[in-house]
Amino acid sequence: MSTEQSTAADGFAYTLTRILDASVERVWRAWTTPELYARWAGAAGGSVEMDVRPGGAWKATMLTPDGRQFPLTGSYLEVIENRRLVIGMDVPDKPGPATMTVDLDEQDDQRTQIVLHQTCDTAAERDMAEQGSTMLLDSLSTFLTAQTSN
């Protein structure tokens, strides 16, 4: 996985790039199907709702390793099937949503490059978001590999 951090005029950004051993369609389904997303992203079963279209809402209750739960909500800002998701995430005490962009690029029939990008307001926020996104991509990769071997 490659990682890039930068400080832009409008905030602190990071970009994570990884090659996944799965087709673009399988990666898209894993990211946009509530039951599949809950299985790999660490969400409580039955808590994930997704209306995957521009302006559509999403929500999930995430589980921490120590058993705590925290709810997340947001909306889809841009949706290009099998290519791009721009996801707005509601953040308490913040005027607008945090925005994460997920781009998918087919490498061949069974491999996909995923590029995840987010800009944050502070270096500390960026570092925390990047750590969470790295864990998310690790889980996605493990999930897709396990699905292939089944």
Side-chain angles (χ1 to χ4, degrees), residues 74-75 77 87-91 94-99:
S75 62
L77 306 175
I87 304 164
M89 298 170 284
D90 299 329
V91 180
K94 196 171 178 179
T99 303

Side-chain angles (χ1 to χ4, degrees), residues 52-73:
V52 185
R53 62 181 174 83
W58 65 269
K59 71 178 185 174
T61 299
M62 305 308 286
L63 303 173
T64 63
D66 62 4
R68 290 182 291 146
Q69 298 184 10
F70 60 98
L72 297 175
T73 60

Side-chain angles (χ1 to χ4, degrees), residues 28 52 78-86 101-104:
W28 181 264
V52 185
E78 183 180 349
V79 177
I80 303 171
E81 187 172 352
N82 294 328
R83 298 287 301 157
R84 172 177 264 216
L85 283 174
V86 180
T101 301
V102 178
D103 286 310
L104 304 176

Side-chain angles (χ1 to χ4, degrees), residues 110-125:
Q110 296 303 315
R111 292 169 38 98
T112 300
Q113 176 178 279
I114 186 169
V115 179
L116 191 149
H117 177 80
Q118 186 170 351
T119 300
C120 303
D121 293 334
T122 67
E125 182 184 315

